[in-house]
């Protein structure tokens, strides 16, 4: 009877036969029932019970209470049951570490099993049990398995080292597993090699500086051999590892390329892309005239095209990478435009990427096709895609000059559709086209104006306002148009408000008679009724400009604008090079260096493309030049003062004398009057600032506002500027040289004068000690300066009120101004002084440290700094060494700040700190400096750049004096 | 490496999770579900998502999301390829890939996933190897298993996993030795309003079904191999011989596999088998429009075009349609996307099928802005449209004489007509 019952039960199994039965139990005593079944004597029942447990586990139910019962099932010959128990163990061991110990014996025993499959399974599972206590027992079996005769066990053990390292890195190092792993790279079995490489790569990620994957020609050769024979996944690991190698010369590079090329025909797209990475990197070393080089270029195109016929997700990753490849080597895909044409069924993320690449590949040869496509896309359903397509038409116009006319007419056609968002995008791009090709397409303005009312997006409104302002003289009713915008001024976004302000000022300068009222209206709206500091500042600047010097205002506001660059969204070359080294990785998908976003990137090494053999690239001192061109935010991080500084600054805020900060106010010019010391340095400097140098303009190309750049202070800067105000008269000790004797008593009939110069709270002071070494009383002191280089003059009389008796000493401090007459002295900081008393007039000369002329608002905007640095000719640069200085860069920086030498940015390159600093002299001369501090080296190098190079020597002396005291 | 896998159904419910390293809470999927909410269609969910501590890489396949979680820098293509392997594995084992099937075989899927990755590193992804370790379910086997107490899991050491040809198991025996090859070509094309080809290419694939005993070494040659612009091979193909002699030389896996895929994109070589005459227009005022579509054969190389289907993607504002088809039938779907599917069947050159009638828009809706688009489906038996022909198949290494066969078929891939 019993067998019949069982048969019945089995029938039931046969008919149902699915695992969904495991989910049907919802009874209360579920766990209890399972417990009973797990402890059943019948093997089959046990297995079914474990299956039920696993099924509950997979749907996220908590079955950890059954731990001891499940572990009891582990000692079995049945491989399936064993595997099921292992599955359970891996999931729950962490929550029940003490119980997990119970399993250890079985593991250790299994590691000695005759069947390699069991040995491998045991070592593999043990590694997955992330419990410290178990790892201790793991070491011995693992060591054996790493040297197992069976390659299947060895390859499993290799991965286990990586697991163990993840749990306890120190243990792995102490036990010498890393060395064993390195040995496995020379294993005879390709699969073992691949797994060893994979494990080492993963471990290396947490030890960026360790030399785990020490690649040399021999090991490369082994990897290349294994590459042909291992699995597709192994090939990916090996290729990614190869990509880190730098070949010795172009011949080695070529031979590696030759052996990697067949991987381009692999069915696995990840293998293909990793191979592309290796080839793109090593190609860099091949001479371009080599036949092989062009062969290789040709071979790269077809596999990339094939990637685009794969599943959409693969296409997406491929497209992001192709985007990099076409920027680096456009020649590879220049004939393949059509494969990037967007298909109706493509997911939106593929469509957008394809569009991007189409523009990158657009050239005179294919522009007709591209435009026809883009026009087609502009009538699609998806709004985002349509917008991007319209924008793309504008980018084509800017990129391919010959097509500009066709692009404009296409855009006009699109505007005729009256589809709201299409019209708005079109107007935004037409504005860019106007900037690129001034005075060419203005005939379309009338059409644009028709659509004025339908614009509801800030960017489009701002663009339209810009157009009206820029071409005010050709639009008869420009004033009416702008006036209509003015009505709702306060409801507009900042972007539109700023643009409207500028546009109306432009209009006023062009048609002053009719628009006086309008401009007054907008200026008062901007300056009096607005809470926005940017808007207010811009309003005030215009106001002042217009009221003091309308001619200058015209020069500034209607200045020739720099042309916008061809492509504003190209990736900066150094970043591109780095990304090319990371083809196929997440970095390549995000187009950011790995250090920028990989979680806990523990100091990822920056990868660089190998230089062509024997490259002699001149390493010009600062990278500032390149940084100024692109965005390069990483060039100058850490300018935010540390908290301590902020606090100090805040406290100082009150004491600060009313100095204006921010953009150089026009009054500075007045103050210095007719002084023309050191040629036109000052004028050209100011001119450069306000007019916006071309480099800055280019950086601004993308921004909608076409204001001269330096007037357009970024919003974020506001707070920083505010705090910087406090920098004035920092108590932390501006450098004051010790007093020295200027006039010995012997030469002055008994009057001895010693003294020094100091700058306290923004005021320059001459501090004197007068000693009477004569026998008679001295009275009626007075002081006068000869004309000098910086116009120093006493700001008041010498305050010696009481008569100075014999052997008496008095300390006086004399405030100085810098508005006296100017004459260039030699040395520059020489000062001739005359002191009079009741006895006679005495003359002496002394030298002042130029640091006392460094003003408190000498901190330049970073952008301005970059542009100015570029702008000053290299001939004006002078370099000095400061020896035996033991400060670190931060200490040096804060010390210098005390003397109004402001650190604008700091960056660290290969252990060398580069500080970029600016100084402003009281007469408005700017000095830019780059200070290089090498850890462990007491010699600093300083480079100074200034439009008036004469001051460099003095400035250097100050550096030396400040840093050494 | 790959940390975890979540299977998610279209309504956003997680019905399977698997962790290969430490357990990642399933709340990480919230970032994905958020992105899914934002996307208009499930296909539009971005495949790579960045969260504060993880990366989520997902694919959408067979109406399921396969979502993997990674923590370190891993090549995304590697992950995506792997996820597709998981989907293929489920398809291969259970005949289809769906939520029901996965739920029905939860434990086996779990066991399979465990075999496929170790600590996130791929372990066994070849179908042959997996099937040796975990036998696919058949009704007969489950009955036998339950009766005899044997299990689904193999307990011998797998030969395939260790040899240098991991794709083939040893000791294969068949009474009928046969090798069949299907050359399947898909035409991807975009035709513009006037019927001019904007873009066309052919994606070809050679599918093989090889059931040969022992260790056969096959050589397959084409009449015109230079036609192919780019090829990718199954790992079994010896690349050097293809480079030098343009022949496919390989020891085949046992059973079904994809031998190679190829690509023909020289535009002039791509014949377009049908033409479509269409006019879809909406009246400037009022809420009506007309639709008129005719399909006819073009370059068919004398073969019959079958299985023709036309999908018309209509503007969303369409309320109803009233059409008549001279051949076949049409269905109208007014869901998230408004489409009309016209199933024509065989194309008769004497009497061209036509679909025409009126469209009515929702009351008050403006004239649609976008142009509707047509997708064509078709099939041509016994023709590889690129002209690719297999020359011969030779076998070495074994003594018996196998049955050999080659079949050609052409289909429409992404075949789109703009209006």
């Amino acid at each position: 009877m019993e067998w019949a019952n069982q048969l019945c039960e089995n029938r039931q199994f046969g008919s149902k036969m699915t695992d969904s039965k495991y989910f049907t139990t919802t009874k209360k005593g579920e766990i209890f029932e399972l417990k009973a079944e797990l402890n059943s004597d019948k093997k089959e029942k046990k297995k079914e019970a474990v299956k039920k447990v696993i099924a509950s586990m997979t749907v996220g139910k908590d079955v950890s209470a059954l731990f001891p019962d499940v572990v009891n099932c582990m000692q079995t010959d049945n491989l399936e049951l064993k595997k099921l128990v292992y599955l359970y163990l891996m999931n729950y061991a962490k929550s029940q570490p003490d119980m997990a110990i119970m399993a250890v014996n079985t593991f250790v025993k299994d590691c000695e099993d005759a069947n390699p499959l069991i040995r491998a399974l045991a070592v593999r599972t043990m590694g997955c049990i992330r419990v410290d206590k178990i790892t201790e027992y793991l070491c011995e079996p693992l060591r054996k398995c790493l040297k197992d005769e069976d390659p299947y066990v060895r390859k499993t053990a290799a991965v286990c080292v990586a697991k163990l390292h993840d749990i306890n890195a120190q243990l792995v190092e102490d036990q010498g597993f890393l060395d064993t792993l390195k040995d496995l790279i020379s294993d005879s079995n390709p699969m073992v090699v691949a797994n060893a490489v994979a494990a080492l790569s993963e471990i290396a990620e947490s030890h960026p500086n360790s030399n785990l994957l020490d690649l040399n020609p021999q090991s490369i050769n082994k990897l290349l051999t294994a590459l042909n024979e291992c699995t597709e996944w192994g090939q990916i690991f090996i290729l990614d590892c190869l990509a880190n190698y730098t070949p010795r010369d172009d011949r080695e590079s070529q031979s590696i390329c030759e052996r990697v090329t067949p991987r381009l025909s692999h069915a696995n797209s990840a293998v293909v892309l990793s191979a592309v990475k290796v080839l793109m990197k090593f190609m860099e070393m091949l001479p371009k005239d080599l036949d092989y080089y062009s062969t290789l270029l040709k071979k790269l195109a077809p596999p990339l095209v094939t990637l685009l016929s794969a599943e959409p997700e693969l296409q997406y990753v491929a497209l992001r990478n192709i985007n990099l490849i076409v920027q680096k080597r456009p020649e590879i895909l220049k004939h393949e435009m059509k494969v990037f044409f967007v298909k109706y069924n493509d997911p939106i993320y593929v469509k957008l990427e394809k569009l991007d690449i189409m523009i990158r590949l657009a050239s005179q040869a294919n522009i007709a096709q591209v435009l026809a496509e883009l026009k087609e896309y502009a009538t699609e359903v998806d709004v985002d895609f349509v917008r991007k397509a319209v924008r793309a038409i504008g980018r084509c116009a800017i990129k391919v000059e010959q097509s500009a006319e066709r692009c404009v007419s296409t855009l006009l056609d699109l505007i005729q559709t009256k589809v709201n968002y299409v019209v708005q995008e079109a107007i935004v791009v037409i504005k860019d086209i106007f900037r690129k090709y001034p005075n060419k397409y203005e005939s379309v303005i009338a059409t644009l104006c028709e659509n004025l009312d339908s614009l509801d997006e800030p960017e489009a409104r701002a663009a339209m306002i810009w157009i009206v302002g820029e071409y005010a003289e050709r639009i008869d009713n420009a004033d009416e148009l702008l006036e209509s915008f003015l009505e709702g001024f306060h409801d507009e976004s900042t972007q539109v408000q700023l643009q409207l302000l500028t546009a109306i000022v432009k209009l006023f300068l062009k048609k002053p008679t009719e628009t006086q009222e309008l401009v007054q209206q907008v200026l008062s709206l901007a300056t009096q009724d607005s809470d926005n500091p940017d808007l207010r500042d811009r309003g005030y600047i215009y106001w002042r400009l217009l009221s003091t010097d309308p001619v200058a205002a015209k020069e500034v506001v209607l200045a020739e604008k720099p042309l916008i660059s061809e492509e504003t969204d190209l990736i900066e070359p150094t970043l591109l090079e780095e990304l090319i080294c990371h083809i196929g990785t997440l970095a390549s998908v995000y187009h950011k260096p790995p250090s920028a976003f990989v979680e806990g990137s523990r100091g990822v090494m920056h990868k660089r493309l190998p230089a062509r053999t024997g490259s002699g690239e001149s390493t010009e001192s600062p990278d500032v030049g390149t940084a100024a061109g692109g965005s390069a935010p990483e060039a100058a991080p850490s300018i935010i003062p540390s908290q301590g500084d902020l606090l100090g600054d805040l406290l100082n805020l009150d004491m600060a004398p009313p100095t204006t900060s921010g953009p150089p106010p026009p009054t500075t010019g007045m103050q210095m009057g007719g002084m023309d010391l050191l040629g036109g340095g000052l004028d050209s400097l100011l001119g450069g600032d306000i007019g916006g140098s071309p480099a800055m303009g280019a950086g601004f190309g993308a921004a909608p506002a076409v204001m001269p750049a330096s007037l357009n202070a970024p919003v974020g800067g506001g707070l920083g500027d505010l705090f910087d105000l406090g920098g004035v008269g920092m108590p932390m000790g501006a450098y004051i040289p010790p007093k020295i004797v200027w006039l010995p008593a012997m030469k002055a009939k008994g009057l001895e004068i010693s003294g020094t110069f100091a700058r306290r709270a923004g005021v320059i002071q001459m501090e004197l000690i007068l000693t009477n070494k004569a026998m008679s009383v001295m009275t009626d002191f007075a002081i006068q300066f000869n004309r000098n280089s910086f116009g120093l003059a006493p700001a008041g009389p010498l305050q010696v009120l009481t008569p100075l008796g014999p052997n008496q000493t008095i300390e006086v401090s004399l405030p100085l101004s810098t508005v006296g007459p100017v004459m260039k002295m030699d040395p520059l900081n020489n000062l001739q002084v005359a002191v009079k008393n009741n006895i006679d007039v005495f003359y002496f000369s002394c030298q002042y440290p130029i640091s006392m002329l460094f003003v408190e608002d000498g901190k330049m905007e970073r952008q301005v700094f970059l542009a100015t640095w570029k702008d000053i000719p290299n001939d004006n640069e002078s370099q000095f060494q400061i020896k035996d200085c033991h400060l670190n860069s931060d200490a040096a920086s804060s010390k210098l700040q005390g003397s109004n030498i402001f650190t604008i940015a700091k960056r660290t390159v290969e252990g060398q700190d580069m500080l970029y600093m600016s100084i402003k002299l009281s007469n408005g001369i700017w000095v830019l400096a780059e200070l290089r501090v090498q850890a462990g080296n007491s010699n600093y190098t300083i480079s100074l750049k200034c439009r008036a190079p004469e001051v460099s020597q003095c400035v250097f002396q100050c550096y030396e004096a400040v840093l050494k005291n | 490496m790959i940390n975890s896998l979540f299977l998610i159904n279209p309504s956003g419910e997680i019905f399977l999770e698997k962790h290969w390293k430490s357990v990642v809470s399933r709340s990480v999927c919230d970032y994905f579900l958020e992105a899914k909410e934002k996307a208009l269609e499930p296909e539009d969910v971005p495949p790579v998502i960045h969260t504060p501590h993880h990366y989520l890489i997902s694919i959408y396949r067979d109406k399921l999301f396969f979502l993997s979680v990674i923590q370190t820098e891993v090549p995304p293509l590697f992950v995506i390829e792997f996820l597709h392997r998981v989907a293929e594995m489920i398809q291969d084992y259970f005949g289809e890939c769906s939520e029901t099937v996965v739920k029905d075989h939860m434990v086996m899927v779990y066991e399979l996933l465990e075999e496929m990755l170790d600590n996130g590193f791929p372990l066994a992804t070849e179908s042959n190897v997996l099937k040796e370790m975990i036998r696919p379910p058949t009704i007969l086997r489950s009955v036998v298993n339950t009766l005899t107490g044997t299990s689904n899991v193999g307990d011998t050491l797998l030969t395939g996993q260790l040899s240098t040809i991991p794709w083939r198991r040893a000791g294969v025996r068949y009474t009928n030795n046969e090798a069949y090859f299907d050359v399947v070509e898909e035409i991807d094309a975009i035709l513009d309003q006037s019927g001019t080809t904007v873009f066309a290419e052919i994606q070809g694939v050679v599918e093989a079904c090889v059931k040969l005993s022992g260790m056969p070494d096959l050589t397959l040659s084409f009449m015109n191999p230079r036609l192919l612009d780019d090829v990718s091979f199954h790992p079994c193909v010896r690349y050097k011989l293809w480079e030098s002699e343009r022949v496919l030389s390989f020891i085949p896996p046992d059973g079904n596999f994809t031998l190679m895929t190829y690509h023909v994109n020289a535009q002039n070589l791509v014949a377009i088998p049908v033409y479509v005459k269409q006019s879809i227009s909406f009246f400037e005022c009022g809420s009506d429009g007309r639709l008129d579509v005719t399909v006819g054969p073009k370059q068919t190389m004398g073969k019959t075009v079958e299985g023709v289907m036309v999908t018309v993607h209509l503007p969303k504002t369409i309320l109803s349609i009233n059409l008549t088809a001279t051949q076949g039938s049409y269905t109208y779907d007014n869901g998230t996307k408004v489409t009309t599917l016209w199933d024509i069947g065989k194309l008769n050159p004497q009497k061209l099928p036509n679909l025409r009638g009126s469209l009515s828009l929702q009351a008050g809706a403006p004239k649609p802005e976008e142009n509707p688009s047509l997708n064509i489906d078709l099939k041509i038996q016994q023709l590889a449209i690129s002209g690719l022909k297999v020359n011969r198949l030779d076998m070495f290494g074994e003594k018996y004489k196998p049955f050999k066969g080659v079949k050609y078929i052409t289909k429409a891939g992404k075949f789109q007509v703009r209006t």
Side-chain angles (χ1 to χ4, degrees), chain A residues 556-757:
Chain A
V556 171
V557 179
L558 302 180
E560 190 110 328
K561 274 162 288 298
L563 291 181
I564 55 175
S565 64
E566 268 188 19
E567 282 201 69
T568 46
D569 60 338
L570 282 178
I571 295 176
E572 195 237 335
T574 43
L575 177 62
L576 181 61
E577 294 219 336
E578 191 177 353
L579 289 176
I580 288 286
C581 298
H582 288 284
I583 283 178
T585 65
L586 284 167
S588 72
V589 173
Y590 283 101
H591 289 186
K592 285 180 191 162
S595 49
F597 67 98
V598 170
E599 162 95 346
S601 65
R602 296 159 283 212
V604 178
M605 303 267 274
H606 285 268
K607 292 186 187 170
R608 281 286 152 91
L609 287 178
R612 209 173 298 281
T613 357
S615 88
E617 277 176 55
S618 62
T619 42
E620 272 188 46
S621 49
D623 279 357
V624 185
T626 50
S631 53
E634 53 167 4
S638 72
I639 43 148
I640 302 157
S642 69
Q643 214 169 9
D645 285 355
L646 274 179
L647 203 61
D649 288 356
L650 273 170
L651 290 174
N652 275 321
L653 208 57
D654 290 341
M655 319 164 17
T659 335
T660 354
S661 80
T667 45
T668 327
M670 309 285 160
Q671 212 175 45
M672 286 175 299
M675 170 185 67
D676 71 339
L677 165 69
L678 311 177
L682 174 66
D683 289 351
S684 59
L685 200 76
L686 272 176
D689 267 346
I690 295 180
S693 69
M696 282 147 35
F700 253 80
V706 276
M707 289 291 303
S710 66
L711 295 181
N712 201 350
V715 191
L719 196 64
D721 288 351
L722 202 67
F723 288 136
D724 282 349
L725 260 178
V728 174
M730 295 267 282
M732 58 175 288
Y735 167 64
I736 300 168
K739 294 195 173 75
I740 50 166
V741 176
W742 283 334
L743 183 67
M746 282 173 62
K747 284 193 178 173
K749 302 184 177 164
L751 175 66
E752 188 187 70
I753 301 177
S754 57
T756 184
F757 292 90

Side-chain angles (χ1 to χ4, degrees), chain B residues 75-369:
Chain B
L77 277 188
F78 167 100
V79 183
I80 296 173
E81 280 276 358
F82 175 78
L83 292 176
H84 280 292
R85 292 305 159 84
V86 173
E88 278 155 25
M89 178 274 289
I90 295 174
Q91 168 87 38
D92 189 29
Y93 262 74
F94 311 113
E96 64 167 298
C97 181
S98 69
E99 187 181 353
T100 338
V101 147
V102 172
K103 276 188 169 167
D104 282 353
H105 302 277
M106 188 66 94
V107 176
M108 193 179 277
V109 171
Y110 211 70
E111 286 176 300
L112 281 165
L113 290 174
E114 183 61 29
E115 291 300 336
M116 289 178 85
L117 286 188
D118 175 20
N119 196 35
F121 296 100
L123 192 61
T125 49
E126 281 282 337
S127 155
N128 280 299
V129 177
L130 280 173
K131 280 183 179 162
E132 255 184 279
M133 279 191 286
I134 296 164
R135 295 186 193 113
T138 61
I139 295 188
L140 183 70
R141 187 169 300 132
S142 335
V143 177
V144 171
N145 281 354
T146 34
L147 282 177
T148 58
T150 56
S151 79
N152 276 345
V153 176
D155 51 3
T156 51
L157 182 58
L158 305 162
T159 46
Q161 248 174 328
L162 290 179
S163 69
T164 47
I165 40 171
W167 55 85
R168 188 171 180 89
R169 61 192 172 98
V172 184
R173 282 283 164 268
Y174 288 101
T175 41
N176 293 323
N177 288 296
E178 44 194 22
Y180 298 113
F181 296 89
D182 290 358
V183 179
V184 183
E185 295 194 340
E186 291 193 353
I187 308 167
D188 285 354
I190 301 175
L191 306 185
D192 71 6
Q193 276 155 296
S194 58
T196 323
T197 312
V198 175
F199 159 82
E201 62 177 8
I202 295 168
Q203 311 288 349
V205 56
V206 180
E207 298 282 1
C209 174
V210 178
K211 294 179 173 171
L212 298 174
S213 314
M215 274 287 167
D217 196 334
L218 302 180
T219 304
L220 182 91
S221 60
F222 295 104
M223 307 267 264
N224 38 9
R226 312 226 163 248
L227 219 67
L228 312 176
D229 283 315
D230 185 44
V231 285
S232 343
F233 299 119
H234 188 277
C236 67
V237 176
R238 297 180 181 103
Y239 183 75
K240 284 231 170 77
L241 275 169
W242 169 261
E243 278 284 87
S244 55
E245 296 167 36
R246 299 276 150 181
V247 294
L248 297 176
S249 160
F250 56 98
I251 296 174
D254 185 38
N256 296 316
F257 64 99
T258 303
L259 179 63
M260 72 183 278
T261 58
Y262 60 88
H263 195 89
V264 179
N265 61 348
Q267 305 276 323
N268 44 1
L269 284 178
V270 182
I272 303 294
V274 293
Y275 70 87
V276 179
K277 269 208 312 220
Q278 41 71 29
S279 94
I280 301 174
S281 56
F282 296 95
F283 305 124
E284 204 53 64
C285 50
S287 55
D288 276 335
R290 289 202 59 77
L291 178 146
D292 190 337
V293 183
T294 310
V295 184
K298 208 170 165 189
Q299 297 160 280
T300 59
M301 324 280 171
K303 309 273 184 200
T304 323
V305 184
E306 313 168 11
V308 182
M309 274 203 276
V310 179
T311 312
V312 189
H313 303 277
L314 292 165
K316 273 193 179 122
T317 45
I318 296 255
L319 181 69
S320 66
I321 58 171
N322 182 15
L323 305 174
T324 357
T326 58
Q327 184 187 336
S329 59
Y330 77 89
T331 51
Y332 169 66
D333 175 15
N334 199 346
T336 48
K337 281 182 176 172
V338 182
T339 53
T340 296
L341 179 69
W342 177 28
D343 189 345
I344 300 171
K346 208 175 270 184
L347 213 55
N348 180 357
Q350 270 72 51
K351 194 170 161 293
L352 297 180
N354 170 276
L355 179 75
R356 78 172 83 190
S358 62
L359 314 167
S360 41
L361 295 170
Q362 287 161 7
K367 183 174 174 255
E369 287 144 9

Side-chain angles (χ1 to χ4, degrees), chain A residues 7 10 13-14 17-20 22-23 44 47 51 54-55 57-60 78-80 83-84 87 90-91 115-117 124 128 130 150-152 155-156 159 162-163 166 189 191 198-199 202 205 232-233 236-237 240 262 265-270 273 299 302-303 305-306 309 311 313-317 336 338-339 341-349 373 376-377 379-382 419 421 584-587 589-590 594 597-599, chain B residues 1 15-18 21-23 26 40 43-50 52-53 55 57-61 70-78 80-82 84-85 103-108 110-111 114-115 117-119 121-123 125-126 133 138-139 142-143 146-147 149-157 161-163 188 190 198-199 201 203 229-233 235 239 243 263 265 267 313 369-371 373 375 414 416 418-419:
Chain A
L7 196 64
N10 287 335
F13 267 143
M17 240 210 3
T18 67
D19 293 348
S20 27
Y22 300 128
F23 301 103
E44 203 47 39
K47 199 167 85 187
K51 276 196 178 177
I54 302 276
M57 189 178 90
T58 53
V59 293
N78 185 313
L79 197 60
E80 187 185 14
K83 281 189 174 175
L84 287 170
L87 271 179
M90 284 184 244
N91 219 4
N115 184 342
L117 195 60
R124 176 177 146 204
C128 293
R130 307 172 61 86
D150 196 302
Y152 182 72
K155 98 175 184 164
T156 313
V159 173
K163 295 181 197 171
D166 196 27
N189 185 298
M191 250 85 84
E202 196 179 66
E205 213 175 302
E232 48 196 319
W233 314 108
I236 300 169
F237 299 138
D240 285 349
S265 298
H266 202 286
N268 186 320
S269 58
L273 202 56
K299 279 190 174 169
V305 171
T306 298
S309 51
E311 287 83 358
E313 299 91 3
L314 296 171
Q315 281 188 48
Y316 171 73
V317 177
E336 305 290 348
K338 285 189 172 182
V339 299
F341 284 2
V342 171
K343 295 182 186 121
Y344 182 82
N345 290 331
D346 286 335
I348 181 73
Y349 56 82
E373 280 295 303
E376 190 72 38
Y377 303 159
T379 63
E380 274 245 19
V381 198
D382 192 291
V419 179
Y421 52 85
T585 65
L586 284 167
V589 173
Y590 283 101
F597 67 98
V598 170
E599 162 95 346
Chain B
M1 290 294 122
F15 62 94
L16 181 134
E17 60 180 290
K18 167 75 186 135
K21 299 176 117 182
S22 52
V23 176
R26 59 165 68 190
L40 292 175
E43 292 88 354
D44 288 340
V45 184
V48 185
I49 297 175
H50 183 183
H53 301 286
Y55 291 90
I57 300 183
S58 63
I59 63 165
Y60 180 69
R61 195 171 154 157
I70 59 174
Q71 255 171 328
T72 49
E73 175 69 81
V74 179
L77 277 188
F78 167 100
I80 296 173
E81 280 276 358
F82 175 78
H84 280 292
R85 292 305 159 84
K103 276 188 169 167
D104 282 353
H105 302 277
M106 188 66 94
V107 176
M108 193 179 277
Y110 211 70
E111 286 176 300
E114 183 61 29
E115 291 300 336
L117 286 188
D118 175 20
N119 196 35
F121 296 100
L123 192 61
T125 49
E126 281 282 337
M133 279 191 286
T138 61
I139 295 188
S142 335
V143 177
T146 34
L147 282 177
T150 56
S151 79
N152 276 345
V153 176
D155 51 3
T156 51
L157 182 58
Q161 248 174 328
L162 290 179
S163 69
D188 285 354
I190 301 175
V198 175
F199 159 82
E201 62 177 8
Q203 311 288 349
D229 283 315
D230 185 44
V231 285
S232 343
F233 299 119
Y239 183 75
E243 278 284 87
H263 195 89
N265 61 348
Q267 305 276 323
H313 303 277
E369 287 144 9
E370 72 261 25
N371 293 339
S373 169
N375 275 67
K414 289 177 180 160
Q416 177 194 345
R418 290 175 178 161
T419 63

Side-chain angles (χ1 to χ4, degrees), chain A residues 224-246:
Chain A
L224 286 167
T225 314
L227 181 63
N228 291 327
E229 293 168 16
C230 67
T231 66
E232 48 196 319
W233 314 108
Q235 294 184 15
I236 300 169
F237 299 138
I238 292 181
L239 287 169
D240 285 349
C241 176
L242 277 176
N244 292 328
Y245 178 65
T246 310

